[in-house]
Amino acid sequence: MKRIALLGSTGSIGTQALEVVSAHPGLFEVEVLSAHSNAALLIEQAKKYKPNAVVITDESKYREVKDALMMHPVKVFAGPSSLTEVVQWESVDMVLGAILGFAGLKSIIAAISAGKRIALANKETLVVAGEMVMKLARERGVPVLPVDSEHSAIFQCLVGEDLRTIEKVILTASGGPFLGRKPNYLVNVKSSHALQHPIWSMGAKISIDSATLMNKGLEMIEAKWLFGLENEQIDVTIHAQSIIHSMVQFTDGSMKAQMGLPDMKLPIQYALAFPQRLTNTFKRVDFKDYPKLTFEAPDYKTFRNLAIAKDAMYRGGNAPCVLNAANEMVVDAFLHNKVGFLEMSDMIEKTLEKVPFVAQPTLPDFERTDAEARTYAAEFIKKSQLSIY
Ligand code: NAD
Ligand code: MG
């Protein structure tokens, strides 16, 4: 029985993780649930899954959660610092990091420091501080099991292999809702359109990141640190059907691909149960439905975020942290129709020019960099034509 702290339980990954937990009652138990501001859903989940504790990080919602759970044997905490405390509890075996963005970093570091197994969906943690996080995990002998479908695919391809025999990894990308589109079309797209992903149903932020291809850029950096790769060993291919979730090419020229229908419950289940492979009744791939699997090079000129992210990966240091902070800001602004689709790349690039480079950042450096980048990005957003009118 694994006792799980599920951070970000009210999100797209969080709710699907709870479905996986429900399907295997003898294997997993929910010890902690956390949400930022969706008190109603957190309360409902607490009543159903009966965790030892819940954390609502938005302190203004504390009373609402506390009052609703008064008659239930659930401890209620509020604020981000409670997260870093509960993940270290003796009673927690594994932490599933499904918080969105930079906000997920500290609790993962705390959990690894306390020797907890990690199932990681929160890719921004590795984008910002992958080197530090993976070093800490190695020191503590803690596995970091990827939940992101591409990285789960690579991980599954690598089981039983010597990591030194990796020649390269090939991340697949669906291409998002604007595959094949050019700047003259993209200049006018709205968030409602960008949110309509052709294949995956996900949270709002990652849906926009998929439309701009920033998601694939973040995933390149995530792969670098998870699997200890050189920048040159990471490739991206557009594979619109999303049946191959990623591939590994080995030093003898052999390639392995992991395939399946696009359903996040699969990589979530794999990470939670590893090294076991659990039986389920999810729909299976039928190749009659996929007579053609296609591959094409990404359009770096139109989807500039991918090129900008790749460049930040090569620059290293705090550059990916700046990239991530600026991206979180502009995506939020785009979701509120305050900046245009193509403007997002300009603003991220300009923020990267502004924030001073730090070659070997510490955790306080990351916090400073994140705050500084957000301040610059906020200024650029304010000056956008869409913000003004
Ligand atoms: P979401 O927006 O649906 O959910 C985010 C969760 O994090 C919610 O529970 C929310 O309460 C919590 N949260 C948000 N801001 C917070 C804050 N400041 N402090 C504490 N908690 C906060 O997001 P999602 O789509 O589930 O994505 C979660 C993470 O998983 C992201 O890092 C994303 O990149 C990654 N991921 C998601 C998918 C997917 O299919 N949705 C796939 C791969 C990776
Ligand atoms: Mg992914």
Side-chain angles (χ1 to χ4, degrees), residues 8 10-13 36 57 98 100 103 121-124 148 202-203 264:
T10 54
S12 161
I13 293 290
H36 186 57
T57 40
L100 182 69
N122 174 231
K123 67 188 82 187
E124 295 90 346
D148 211 349
M202 308 177 286
M264 284 309 295

Side-chain angles (χ1 to χ4, degrees), residues 3-21:
R3 293 164 299 177
I4 299 171
L6 207 185
L7 311 185
S9 65
T10 54
S12 161
I13 293 290
T15 51
Q16 294 181 83
L18 286 173
E19 284 180 49
V20 170
V21 165

